[in-house]
Amino acid sequence: MRPRRLRLNEYIRDLARETRLHAKDFIYPIFVVEGTGIKREIPSMPGQYHFSIDMLSEEIKKIEALNIRAALIFGIPEKKDALGRESYAKEGIVPRAVGEIKRASSQMIVVTDVCMCSYTDHGHCGILNDRGQVDNDKTLLYLQNIALSHANAGADIVAPSDMMDGRVQAIRRALDEAGFTNTAIMSYSVKYASNFYSPFRSAASSAPSIGNRKSYQMDCANINEALKVVRLDENEGADIVMVKPALAYLDVVRKVKDSTLLPVAVYNVSGEYAMLKHAVSAGILPPEAIMETIISIKRAGADIIITYFAKELIEELG
Ligand code: PBG
């Protein structure tokens, strides 16, 4: 047997290739800020920007021209308080951004991150009790209202990233009762307490001011727990499950893919982006390292890839 026969030239390698990336695999994250006329590079994430709402339609048209059909919206409010009031305001930053995107492209799939950490003054993903702990069941009521405010503005998919127990069921129930039966839920089911979120936290000013997120995000050492939470989210009515981060967790991606019939989304997070971006711009790695990395996520079992690299990869795929 001569395996090299299928490696002889580019055409034959293309023919025998097992994993292919396509623009339609990707969800592109977008950070939205208050103000006007803003397109400002995010220092911790070179090549990514803060956009004010009036600048969104231009960006959406650009990604649509690349055949990317889904955007994940993160709102960064001007005001924060202990209850994260801006997160569920009817005219909050995310609902207004969703409206603007839908006006620019009614077909674009708009996914919204449902969480409280950018909106609370303490930076935790939920409401705190008297002892300073995140109160799971109280937070569920807030998450329902956040999801409703996004669905009401026209979001196609809401994506809870808070990691409270029971949130998928709570959100599904609230959406259905309000008549949003077609709004899908992409659950950040398997979200580890990871060091690789740091650049995002400075971009979204969402770092916890006290403590860390280990009482609600998962321990990086666990994999059975990943399968457990995927099963729970399936039963609660999730439409898509997610594994996050990607690279240090490709074994988890494979196991989750083999354990569920739901589409599996994988989030190539900010730290993974920043690492590669810096290595390439310093000339330590060739730019092709990016494609190799994103292919590995799909090969591991991702059906959907959320990545800050989406635009530049598609430009390269041609
Ligand atoms: C909000 C949220 C985070 C990310 C997505 N949604 C940060 C966190 O949990 O602290 C991370 C995304 C990234 O690092 O690219 N909870």
Side-chain angles (χ1 to χ4, degrees), residues 76-112:
I76 301 155
E78 229 152 38
K79 280 179 288 182
K80 298 174 190 255
D81 58 52
L83 299 177
R85 286 190 175 83
E86 273 294 302
S87 65
Y88 51 91
K90 217 168 175 267
E91 286 297 307
I93 186 148
V94 172
R96 279 179 287 131
V98 171
E100 180 64 20
I101 293 170
K102 284 289 181 183
R103 272 190 293 279
S105 165
S106 59
Q107 299 212 88
M108 178 66 55
I109 299 167
V110 180
V111 190
T112 57

Side-chain angles (χ1 to χ4, degrees), residues 186-251:
M186 175 169 75
S187 176
Y188 285 70
S189 309
V190 184
K191 178 173 177 180
Y192 288 94
S194 172
N195 297 297
F196 290 93
Y197 308 148
S198 294
F200 173 97
R201 288 183 189 163
S202 42
S205 69
S206 66
S209 57
I210 18 158
N212 55 49
R213 303 209 200 290
K214 290 186 179 174
S215 78
Y216 42 101
Q217 298 183 346
M218 281 178 47
D219 184 332
C220 67
N222 294 357
I223 189 161
N224 285 334
E225 188 184 0
L227 303 183
K228 176 174 88 179
V229 294
V230 164
R231 197 180 299 171
L232 288 171
D233 277 359
E234 282 177 342
N235 291 337
E236 290 185 28
D239 299 282
I240 301 171
V241 291
M242 192 200 295
V243 176
K244 173 185 175 194
L247 300 182
Y249 301 90
L250 292 180
D251 55 333

Side-chain angles (χ1 to χ4, degrees), residues 8-275:
L8 274 178
N9 58 52
E10 194 188 334
Y11 277 23
I12 197 108
R13 287 193 296 274
D14 278 350
L15 189 69
R17 181 156 302 127
E18 298 174 41
T19 310
R20 294 172 206 276
L21 286 174
H22 193 279
K24 292 169 194 164
D25 299 329
F26 294 129
I27 299 180
Y28 189 57
I30 296 180
F31 295 92
V32 187
V33 294
E34 295 288 1
T36 52
I38 298 169
K39 182 186 174 185
R40 196 172 43 225
E41 192 167 30
I42 300 169
S44 59
M45 301 174 68
Q48 300 301 308
Y49 296 83
H50 282 141
F51 293 96
S52 53
I53 291 173
D54 58 320
M55 302 294 275
L56 284 174
S57 66
E58 195 184 314
E59 183 67 7
I60 289 297
K61 290 195 174 117
K62 264 190 214 160
I63 69 169
E64 201 171 32
L66 293 168
N67 232 347
I68 297 171
R69 295 175 172 190
L72 171 59
I73 307 306
F74 292 100
I76 301 155
E78 229 152 38
K79 280 179 288 182
K80 298 174 190 255
D81 58 52
L83 299 177
R85 286 190 175 83
E86 273 294 302
S87 65
Y88 51 91
K90 217 168 175 267
E91 286 297 307
I93 186 148
V94 172
R96 279 179 287 131
V98 171
E100 180 64 20
I101 293 170
K102 284 289 181 183
R103 272 190 293 279
S105 165
S106 59
Q107 299 212 88
M108 178 66 55
I109 299 167
V110 180
V111 190
T112 57
D113 188 83
V114 173
C115 195
M116 304 202 73
C117 57
S118 294
Y119 300 86
T120 52
D121 50 13
H122 46 72
H124 278 289
C125 300
I127 301 302
L128 301 185
N129 65 18
D130 303 343
R131 281 158 293 153
Q133 298 156 334
V134 174
D135 185 327
N136 192 90
D137 296 4
K138 202 168 166 192
T139 301
L140 295 182
L141 302 171
Y142 288 81
L143 297 171
Q144 288 176 315
N145 286 332
I146 299 171
L148 283 173
S149 72
H150 296 180
N152 192 48
D156 302 283
I157 304 179
V158 292
S161 69
D162 53 279
M163 292 301 279
M164 297 304 114
D165 293 335
R167 86 250 212 225
V168 172
Q169 183 177 51
I171 291 172
R172 184 71 271 158
R173 198 171 285 161
L175 290 173
D176 287 349
E177 278 169 11
F180 297 112
T181 49
N182 284 334
T183 309
I185 299 177
M186 175 169 75
S187 176
Y188 285 70
S189 309
V190 184
K191 178 173 177 180
Y192 288 94
S194 172
N195 297 297
F196 290 93
Y197 308 148
S198 294
F200 173 97
R201 288 183 189 163
S202 42
S205 69
S206 66
S209 57
I210 18 158
N212 55 49
R213 303 209 200 290
K214 290 186 179 174
S215 78
Y216 42 101
Q217 298 183 346
M218 281 178 47
D219 184 332
C220 67
N222 294 357
I223 189 161
N224 285 334
E225 188 184 0
L227 303 183
K228 176 174 88 179
V229 294
V230 164
R231 197 180 299 171
L232 288 171
D233 277 359
E234 282 177 342
N235 291 337
E236 290 185 28
D239 299 282
I240 301 171
V241 291
M242 192 200 295
V243 176
K244 173 185 175 194
L247 300 182
Y249 301 90
L250 292 180
D251 55 333
V252 180
V253 173
R254 170 46 58 195
K255 272 221 157 166
V256 165
K257 176 62 188 165
D258 291 342
S259 82
T260 183
L261 298 178
L262 298 182
V264 176
V266 180
Y267 200 141
N268 175 224
V269 300
S270 57
E272 301 171 329
Y273 172 80
M275 264 190 325

